[in-house]
Amino acid sequence: MAPSIWFWVWFNAAVLGLLLLDLGVFARRGPDGQPAPVPVRTALWKSAAYVGLALGFFAWLWTGYGPEEGRQARALEFITGYVIEWSLSVDNIFVFVLIFAKFGVPAAYQHRVLFWGILGALAMRAAMILLGTSLLREFDWLMVVFGLFLVFSGWKMLQSVNAPEGDPRDNPVLRFLQRRLPVTEGFRGSAFTAREAGKWMLTPLALVLILVELTDLVFALDSIPAIFAVTTDPFIVYTANVFAILGLRAMYFALAGIIHRFRYLKHGLSVVLMIVGVKMLANWWAGGKAVPVEWALLLTGSIIGGSIALSLWRTRPTAA
């Protein structure tokens, strides 16, 4: 059952409203009126609230959306896709921490960068999902291409686990922009542009935003094909992506200080990508779902949960 146009209007309006409410009403400001850093406790509560919203949407799909036949299957596809997308979005945090550190972005400005970064990510992923589902309907052999790509991506991620992190300031797109466009020497508050000496200039914060968008584009190339192994229903793919991305900003502020402890998360994510790739190949070979969705959910949740638990246990503080 395809949702009506009004569902999409209200759903996207609610998403935009949540983001604006978070930025405007719940954003803390210091005595000077500038944005204040987001406390970890607040970020944890926001993260829990966004997870609760996703679970509530799952419950609605399970009990009240569409014809009764196939209702639970679609709900399971949503929650499996959400777990996959949420897990892969955690990997973004590693890169965000690196970008903000290399550019010396004050904590007070990071919230605004992530707000606009998430808006751009939602628009970009919506376009990629529409394109991907249209192509898969016309050319089912693309499942093989996506499956092999995911296996390769998972293997490359596993190989790069202990490799040194590159400097995001060396990004070729960023270098090109810096050569072609005027950029201020330092930050101008939380502004992305500034008018100086009679001309408009980008600020370093705008360059950081561009890098954040490029980072999500790279991660989307893995995450969107991954959820296609679960379902090609654009309604499920899009909503699972939205709920996973919505909580990314709050999750960043909750985990940024301890993300270094997630030592084995990339191992788990790489294994999940390879398994999902094999599942996609099996689906194409069998001409349908070769692996039940509930099995995929159990396996994905176990691998990601296990890698996080093992990471936190191995990096726990020890008594002197």
Side-chain angles (χ1 to χ4, degrees):
M1 175 182 174
S4 68
I5 186 64
W6 288 110
F7 171 86
W8 291 116
V9 170
W10 285 109
F11 181 81
N12 287 292
V15 169
L16 183 59
L18 277 173
L19 291 173
L20 292 175
L21 190 67
D22 194 357
L23 184 69
V25 175
F26 296 121
R28 292 162 55 92
R29 295 190 177 273
D32 58 353
Q34 292 296 316
V38 178
V40 173
R41 183 182 179 87
T42 301
L44 285 171
W45 277 111
K46 286 182 179 179
S47 296
Y50 281 121
V51 172
L53 280 176
L55 293 177
F57 191 77
F58 163 72
W60 176 69
L61 290 176
W62 185 279
T63 60
Y65 175 74
E68 187 172 352
E69 183 180 359
R71 182 185 295 169
Q72 296 178 353
R74 297 186 79 192
L76 284 172
E77 288 174 350
F78 166 79
I79 199 64
T80 303
Y82 170 75
V83 170
I84 291 174
E85 297 297 324
W86 182 91
S87 303
L88 291 170
S89 70
V90 176
D91 202 28
N92 289 33
I93 296 176
F94 287 96
V95 183
F96 292 164
V97 169
L98 180 65
I99 292 173
F100 289 147
K102 290 294 185 180
F103 279 85
V105 180
Y109 304 152
Q110 295 172 11
H111 187 272
R112 187 164 188 258
V113 171
L114 293 177
F115 168 81
W116 288 105
I118 285 173
L119 274 184
L122 290 173
M124 183 166 48
R125 290 188 180 220
M128 292 176 69
I129 289 166
L130 288 174
L131 177 62
T133 52
S134 299
L135 289 174
L136 285 172
R137 284 172 181 167
E138 294 294 327
F139 311 104
D140 66 335
W141 52 266
L142 284 175
M143 294 286 283
V144 177
V145 177
F146 286 167
L148 292 174
F149 175 73
L150 288 174
V151 172
F152 175 75
S153 295
W155 175 251
K156 290 292 289 184
M157 181 184 290
L158 190 60
Q159 294 293 103
S160 66
V161 165
N162 295 317
E165 295 282 358
D167 192 331
R169 293 172 295 187
D170 294 331
N171 184 283
V173 175
L174 197 65
R175 291 291 189 188
F176 175 82
L177 291 175
Q178 288 175 314
R179 288 196 302 268
R180 300 285 180 173
L181 300 173
V183 181
T184 62
E185 288 295 326
F187 295 106
R188 298 297 184 266
S190 60
F192 295 121
T193 59
R195 188 174 178 83
E196 297 185 359
K199 64 178 181 179
W200 285 100
M201 304 177 71
L202 295 178
T203 68
L205 204 65
L207 300 181
V208 171
L209 175 60
I210 292 169
L211 276 179
V212 167
E213 296 289 10
L214 290 174
T215 297
D216 185 73
L217 174 61
V218 172
F219 280 102
L221 293 176
D222 286 336
S223 65
I224 291 178
I227 196 174
F228 282 147
V230 177
T231 179
T232 56
D233 184 343
F235 168 70
I236 299 296
V237 176
Y238 178 71
T239 52
N241 267 271
V242 167
F243 280 105
I245 293 296
L246 265 180
L248 180 59
R249 188 175 70 260
M251 190 162 54
Y252 167 81
F253 290 107
L255 301 181
I258 62 168
I259 197 66
H260 62 280
R261 293 186 59 191
F262 286 48
R263 180 181 299 174
Y264 301 109
L265 178 61
K266 283 185 179 290
H267 295 80
L269 291 175
S270 62
V271 172
V272 166
L273 280 178
M274 288 188 282
I275 289 175
V276 168
V278 171
K279 181 182 184 299
M280 185 171 282
L281 293 172
N283 287 348
W284 178 82
W285 181 265
K289 286 186 170 61
V291 180
V293 177
E294 51 268 32
W295 291 12
L297 174 61
L298 179 61
L299 187 59
T300 302
S302 299
I303 293 173
I304 297 302
S307 65
I308 292 175
L310 180 61
S311 297
L312 295 177
W313 181 71
R314 291 293 298 271
T315 59
R316 70 193 186 283
T318 56

